[in-house]
Amino acid sequence: MSNSNITLTPSGDREVVDQVRATEIVKEWQEIMDGIGEGGVVEKIVLNNKSYTAEAARIIQDFVAKNNLTRTIKDADLSDIIASRMEEEGLEVLKVICDAFGDANLEEVDLSDNAMGSKGITACASVLSGQSTTLKRLSLCNNGLSGASMTEVADVLCEVKNDINIASRLTKIHFYNNMSGDEGCTAFSRIIGSCSASLEDVRFSGTRAGRPGSYRVAQAMDNMGDFIQNVKRWDLADNTFGEEGGEIIAKAFARCPNLEYLNLRDCSLGDEGIAFVCDALAISKCPLKVLDLSGNEITASGAKKVGKLLPLLSKTLVILHIEENEMTSRGVSAIAKGLGVCSLIEEVKLGMNECGNIGGQALCDVADKLSALSKIELDNNMFSEKMVENLTSAFDEALIEMEDNDDEEDPDEDLEDDEDIADLTATMAETSI
């Protein structure tokens, strides 16, 4: 085998790995190990998408020890390894596998998709605390972590040893789809508060956070000061920031000149919160590629702020999601105007926005300018049958089928005399839409 960095991963599809199967797997791995040429090392191990018995876990632990892999492995993907195991055995598997890397020098650990709770965090403690001088990237997604469990995680990451803690070295921290609530927000705020300018990638979403907890997260972000400047990715979907919290997170975003990805879906920001965020992104001059503002009760007023922001992102923006709001045709027209200069845009979602034919016409008018567009979703709006035909003609295969379009109501009746969209109204009259 040529000299290279090797990844060990079990062969085959998803399965329960028992003692016999584990023996087969480590035999395959040993053959790989024996074939490694001079200079080649095993830097990553992937155990996910299998369910291991306790006996299988011990065989893998022995293999790791026998080959002294803790000396070279930097990345351990331990996600989804106990599916279908009873609690007692599942906890044993987690402990055995994690203990195998307790004295390693791991830089990345992924423990996602393992049902944990407080007992699970205890079982995994060795793979976290054991990397006190090296860990940089941590993922704990879809683990069912409660507020108490999140507190335990925070204790491990924030514990100071030799004048430093794990959190201060983190470049990536992902917590998604847990059930930690406001208590979990408090714990996450502690973690963020201990992070440094090394931080680049943050995901804290789908955690059942209420307004008080979300507000604490917002404050922790703002309190990071200039330590926040290197963050490239914020995924904060499904937090309940509200307009007040929106103002605070906006202060943080204004200090993120390297931001490329921002997900604020379902954050209850409202028009005022969206205005704060748009102003902050304009100030930061960040090279944003992905922006999701869906489900924030944005009306035409907020949409106009987004529309004015889009030209400032025209050289970088690739994906815009702003569906499930209340923008109406007036707001969608403002978004369309802003999109007209975004030549790199590849994907747009504007579904479920109470949009009628006037907004549809605005989108048709800029279709030719969106040369990179490969996908646009407009379903659950209120276009006439003729407008659907026009949209289909304008966007061709990029337009996703509109199965739930409501063509029986006209939401634009009160917009006929609106000065902002007078030209669109005239165009529609000429074409008898």
Side-chain angles (χ1 to χ4, degrees):
M1 181 177 295
S2 60
N3 298 345
S4 60
N5 297 327
I6 308 300
T7 296
L8 295 179
T9 185
S11 61
D13 298 327
R14 187 174 181 84
E15 62 183 326
V16 173
V17 177
D18 57 14
Q19 183 176 357
V20 173
R21 180 68 180 112
T23 301
E24 294 174 352
I25 289 171
V26 298
K27 182 179 179 181
E28 295 170 359
W29 286 351
Q30 192 62 59
E31 292 175 356
I32 293 174
M33 296 289 298
D34 294 342
I36 294 178
E38 183 179 353
V41 295
V42 176
E43 285 202 341
K44 182 175 182 178
I45 188 166
V46 177
L47 299 180
N48 76 337
N49 202 36
K50 307 278 188 183
S51 180
Y52 299 87
T53 65
E55 293 82 4
R58 282 190 284 272
I59 289 172
I60 291 172
Q61 182 187 49
D62 291 343
F63 174 83
V64 170
K66 174 185 174 183
N67 288 277
N68 198 22
L69 292 181
T70 55
R71 180 178 56 85
T72 62
I73 289 181
K74 304 297 182 185
D75 183 347
D77 185 347
L78 312 180
S79 60
D80 194 15
I81 62 173
I82 58 171
S84 77
R85 300 298 93 199
M86 297 296 288
E87 179 182 6
E88 182 177 355
E89 184 178 29
L91 292 172
E92 182 179 358
V93 170
L94 284 175
K95 180 170 174 50
V96 170
I97 293 294
C98 289
D99 285 354
F101 300 97
D103 62 347
N105 294 300
L106 298 176
E107 296 181 1
E108 180 162 9
V109 174
D110 189 346
L111 288 163
S112 301
D113 300 307
N114 292 307
M116 287 188 178
S118 180
K119 294 179 181 178
I121 295 300
T122 300
C124 296
S126 60
V127 80
L128 298 177
S129 59
Q131 324 306 318
S132 60
T133 62
T134 58
L135 189 63
K136 296 180 181 179
R137 300 177 295 277
L138 174 64
S139 297
L140 282 164
C141 302
N142 196 32
N143 294 114
L145 297 179
S146 65
S149 300
M150 276 293 296
T151 299
E152 290 188 48
V153 174
D155 289 342
V156 172
L157 298 182
C158 297
E159 181 182 6
V160 176
K161 293 182 179 180
N162 299 320
D163 297 325
I164 195 170
N165 58 26
I166 295 174
S168 66
R169 281 192 319 279
L170 291 176
T171 62
K172 169 186 173 181
I173 183 166
H174 281 197
F175 293 98
Y176 162 72
N177 198 28
N178 288 300
M179 54 182 186
S180 53
D182 287 349
E183 185 179 355
C185 290
T186 301
F188 184 73
S189 297
R190 283 176 55 204
I191 297 170
I192 288 294
S194 295
C195 288
S196 70
S198 297
L199 192 64
E200 297 180 354
D201 183 352
V202 183
R203 187 180 193 186
F204 186 70
S205 57
T207 59
R208 303 184 185 179
R211 185 65 56 84
S214 298
Y215 190 80
R216 285 194 285 274
V217 171
Q219 289 180 313
M221 291 170 56
D222 188 34
N223 290 340
M224 288 184 70
D226 289 339
F227 279 174
I228 207 171
Q229 64 184 337
N230 292 317
V231 176
K232 297 179 181 179
R233 178 185 174 100
W234 283 109
D235 184 343
L236 300 167
D238 199 29
N239 281 283
T240 317
F241 292 116
E243 294 178 354
E244 187 176 4
E247 182 177 9
I248 297 175
I249 60 174
K251 292 179 181 178
F253 296 149
R255 301 194 301 275
C256 293
N258 298 297
L259 190 63
E260 298 179 356
Y261 178 104
L262 179 59
N263 185 357
L264 294 173
R265 187 184 188 99
D266 296 327
C267 285
S268 303
L269 293 173
D271 287 334
E272 290 190 18
I274 289 296
F276 287 127
V277 169
C278 288
D279 288 344
L281 295 176
I283 291 170
S284 74
K285 298 181 180 180
C286 61
L288 201 65
K289 297 179 180 179
V290 178
L291 177 61
D292 192 338
L293 300 174
S294 302
N296 275 294
E297 302 173 4
I298 303 172
T299 69
S301 174
K304 289 178 181 179
K305 292 292 293 188
V306 179
K308 291 179 180 179
L309 171 68
L310 292 177
L312 302 180
L313 305 176
S314 63
K315 295 182 179 180
T316 58
L317 193 66
V318 175
I319 295 176
L320 174 65
H321 294 176
I322 191 167
E323 59 189 344
E324 297 180 23
N325 285 296
E326 303 161 12
M327 297 192 296
T328 71
S329 282
R330 185 183 286 110
V332 171
S333 297
I335 298 295
K337 183 177 180 181
L339 283 174
V341 296
C342 295
S343 59
L344 300 180
I345 199 79
E346 297 177 4
E347 179 176 309
V348 175
K349 290 187 178 182
L350 281 163
M352 201 177 293
N353 261 299
E354 302 175 14
C355 180
N357 290 340
I358 293 176
Q361 184 61 49
L363 291 168
C364 287
D365 288 347
V366 299
D368 288 343
K369 300 177 182 179
L370 307 179
S371 57
L373 190 69
S374 60
K375 181 179 181 180
I376 181 168
E377 295 187 12
L378 301 172
D379 205 9
N380 282 289
N381 284 300
M382 303 175 186
F383 303 119
S384 68
E385 184 176 345
K386 176 62 176 177
M387 178 53 69
V388 172
E389 293 177 2
N390 290 351
L391 288 166
T392 302
S393 176
F395 292 106
D396 198 20
E397 294 182 357
L399 180 64
I400 303 302
E401 187 175 356
M402 294 188 286
E403 297 178 350
D404 295 313
N405 176 62
D406 181 1
D407 60 2
E408 296 182 1
E409 296 185 39
D410 181 7
D412 295 343
E413 289 181 344
D414 62 336
L415 303 182
E416 299 297 332
D417 298 323
D418 193 307
E419 293 182 1
D420 291 341
I421 54 177
D423 291 341
L424 292 171
T425 305
T427 299
M428 289 170 55
E430 293 172 2
T431 53
S432 300
I433 294 176

